[in-house]
Amino acid sequence: MEQFFVFTGRNLKSYFRDRGSVFFSLLSMFIVIVLMVFFLGDMYIENTVAILGEFPGRDAAVDRENAELLILIWNFAGILSINAVTVTLAVYSVMIKDRVTGKMNSIYTAPVSRGIITGGYMAAAWTASVLVCTITLFITEIYGIIKGMDAFSPLTHVQLIGLILVNSFVYAAFMYLLAMAAKTEGAWSGIGTVIGTLVGFLGGIYIPIGSLSPAIGTLMKCTPIIYGTSMFRSVMTEAVAEITFSGVPEEVLEEYRIVTGIHLDVFDRTIGITEEWLGLFLCGILLLAAGIMALKYGRKSDR
């Protein structure tokens, strides 16, 4: 067990010492922030205000203030989902460098089992993702409070940490499977470019899933990223959404949640957070099993 922690710590230090790798792992987050601040944010706010304005007797100024806060938190939830993907991907660059430079062969000759080596890479990716996402959560919460949001309750914090843990687990397993297939740094860089480009779209972060065609929406629901995004949005926006849509029929709020991806409609049924969490956890287990199989049948190529 000591060898496992030492190797995991070595991988974490390698990642965090590489400032370029850390920066590029957070680049998608910065892109989302820029898009929301300068382009998309106002459009989503206007759409929300327009929905509320269809009902008589409402205070337009209050509606706009609440809509701005709702979209802000909605955006923060998307950022948490993105970071889990991009950070785990970046951490595995340590594994790719070890393979390319021949360090992995030296590691395999050490009196350490392959299970510990594999677990050390995966644990480092999972730990880094949990740390970055947790820090992001508290930074965004503080910013939200400054903007007028009520602080999350202790129960909400527990829920969000649980979501971060399972979401990071899924991508630690998924990125390990991809890293097993990438034999060069160029290949891994290409994979990172594709994933970094697609993650914002597949997660419904740039454009809400309800604004896309049914075919695109179905495709998005075949990937884990949209479910992680939905979980974070459902928990983080619950209170402010209720306040924003107070005095509006419940079905209007539910339709808004479906369109914006706060809730997901799968097979004509709205699924809950528990189902999403369990689904992601099962997905992580399956990806982990696939990674173990890839390790088993890839032994000869690694040596």
Side-chain angles (χ1 to χ4, degrees), residues 80 83 127-141 157 160-162 164-165 168 232:
L80 284 176
N83 281 352
T127 302
S129 176
V130 170
L131 286 173
V132 172
C133 288
T134 301
I135 293 171
T136 302
L137 169 62
F138 286 107
I139 290 175
T140 53
E141 181 178 3
H157 281 118
L160 290 172
I161 294 300
I164 288 173
L165 292 174
S168 298
F232 286 117

Side-chain angles (χ1 to χ4, degrees), residues 66-211:
N66 289 333
E68 289 176 352
L69 190 57
L70 174 59
I71 296 303
L72 179 70
I73 300 171
W74 181 85
N75 185 37
F76 288 163
I79 288 173
L80 284 176
S81 186
I82 280 182
N83 281 352
V85 178
T86 56
V87 170
T88 51
L89 186 146
V91 174
Y92 281 114
S93 62
V94 177
M95 175 177 164
I96 302 299
K97 289 179 182 177
D98 286 345
R99 177 183 293 148
V100 171
T101 59
K103 288 183 180 179
M104 186 171 288
N105 291 329
S106 299
I107 293 171
Y108 283 152
T109 60
V112 181
S113 69
R114 268 181 175 257
I116 289 177
I117 295 170
T118 300
Y121 285 123
M122 295 187 68
W126 179 79
T127 302
S129 176
V130 170
L131 286 173
V132 172
C133 288
T134 301
I135 293 171
T136 302
L137 169 62
F138 286 107
I139 290 175
T140 53
E141 181 178 3
I142 291 171
Y143 183 76
I145 292 171
I146 293 173
K147 288 293 185 178
M149 180 189 82
D150 291 332
F152 295 132
S153 68
L155 177 59
T156 300
H157 281 118
V158 171
Q159 285 181 299
L160 290 172
I161 294 300
L163 300 185
I164 288 173
L165 292 174
V166 73
N167 208 42
S168 298
F169 167 63
V170 170
Y171 296 109
F174 179 56
M175 296 305 167
Y176 176 76
L177 188 60
L178 292 182
M180 288 294 294
K183 303 301 181 183
T184 66
E185 290 184 271
W188 188 242
S189 177
I191 290 173
T193 300
V194 172
I195 291 177
T197 302
L198 292 178
V199 64
F201 293 101
L202 294 177
I205 294 159
Y206 301 147
I207 303 175
I209 187 172
S211 301

